[in-house]
Amino acid sequence: WTQMNPEPRIGLIIPSSNRLTEPQFNAYAPRGVGVHVTRLRMTGKFRKPLSELKRPLTEAAQAISDVKPGVIVFHCTANSMESGLAHEKALVEIIEEASGCPTITTAQAITQAFDQSGIKKLVLISPYVQSTNQLEVNYLSETGYKVLHEVGLGLETHAYAAVTPQEWKAV
């Protein structure tokens, strides 16, 4: 953090339907870290190829950069994993160019956590439909992880927040 930006801030770009991220970041961010959010229609019926997502993603990155975050998190696991490392790299480049801020995706955060924990093999359990889960398996394989088994609950986006811990354990 710099003299011009003494309070640490995280900028989040999240799917417009996401109801989980803000409460979670605000609950778990260290005291004094600002969490600032902008929303983007990018999932479900609003899912678009990167060529069509570029303009609204650029606008979202420019808007969140106004709070001068130390980092921007593109917080959409499915989108950041959907077409492999080249797609993810393009997302990061679009955001960094538009915002002037360092950027990380959810996918990068996950793989960094796996690396720090020494995880090489895993079981993938998600709320996603099978086709989305398969894209995540492909991404994880491309990045060097072995997915031993995967289960997608096949939920609509609005239902993600309603899954109870007991339901996750039952999978």
Side-chain angles (χ1 to χ4, degrees):
W1 311 111
T2 67
Q3 199 76 323
M4 297 278 293
N5 191 9
E7 298 171 355
R9 294 179 197 89
I10 299 170
L12 298 170
I13 298 174
I14 67 173
S16 56
S17 60
N18 184 309
R19 297 179 304 194
L20 301 171
T21 299
E22 289 166 290
Q24 290 171 341
F25 265 80
N26 284 309
Y28 297 113
R31 180 181 221 124
V33 173
V35 178
H36 306 278
V37 179
T38 192
R39 294 175 178 279
L40 184 61
R41 287 184 156 170
M42 63 177 134
T43 59
K45 67 181 180 181
F46 302 112
R47 193 199 162 285
K48 302 173 182 99
L50 186 58
S51 60
E52 293 176 36
L53 186 63
K54 185 175 181 176
R55 193 181 112 251
L57 181 57
T58 296
E59 291 168 355
Q62 289 169 335
I64 199 67
S65 74
D66 289 347
V67 299
K68 309 241 181 283
V71 66
I72 292 176
V73 180
F74 180 78
H75 188 61
C76 182
T77 310
N79 196 303
S80 62
M81 288 187 176
E82 81 176 21
S83 296
L85 290 170
H87 173 83
E88 180 184 52
K89 182 179 182 217
L91 290 169
V92 169
E93 288 173 353
I94 290 165
I95 296 167
E96 287 184 341
E97 183 178 313
S99 68
C101 299
T103 300
I104 188 170
T105 67
T106 310
Q108 290 170 330
I110 289 168
T111 58
Q112 287 177 17
F114 288 167
D115 290 347
Q116 288 293 312
S117 302
I119 294 171
K120 298 291 180 209
K121 298 177 186 177
L122 60 118
V123 173
L124 173 64
I125 302 171
S126 82
Y128 303 134
V129 296
Q130 181 57 41
S131 59
T132 301
N133 244 33
Q134 187 56 54
L135 294 173
E136 292 195 1
V137 169
N138 296 347
Y139 173 91
L140 291 165
S141 297
E142 183 181 349
T143 54
Y145 302 95
K146 181 165 179 67
V147 179
L148 303 173
H149 183 69
E150 59 83 21
V151 175
L153 299 181
L155 301 176
E156 294 294 324
T157 305
H158 67 275
Y160 294 177
V163 181
T164 66
Q166 293 76 22
E167 289 172 297
W168 286 113
K169 288 178 186 177
V171 176

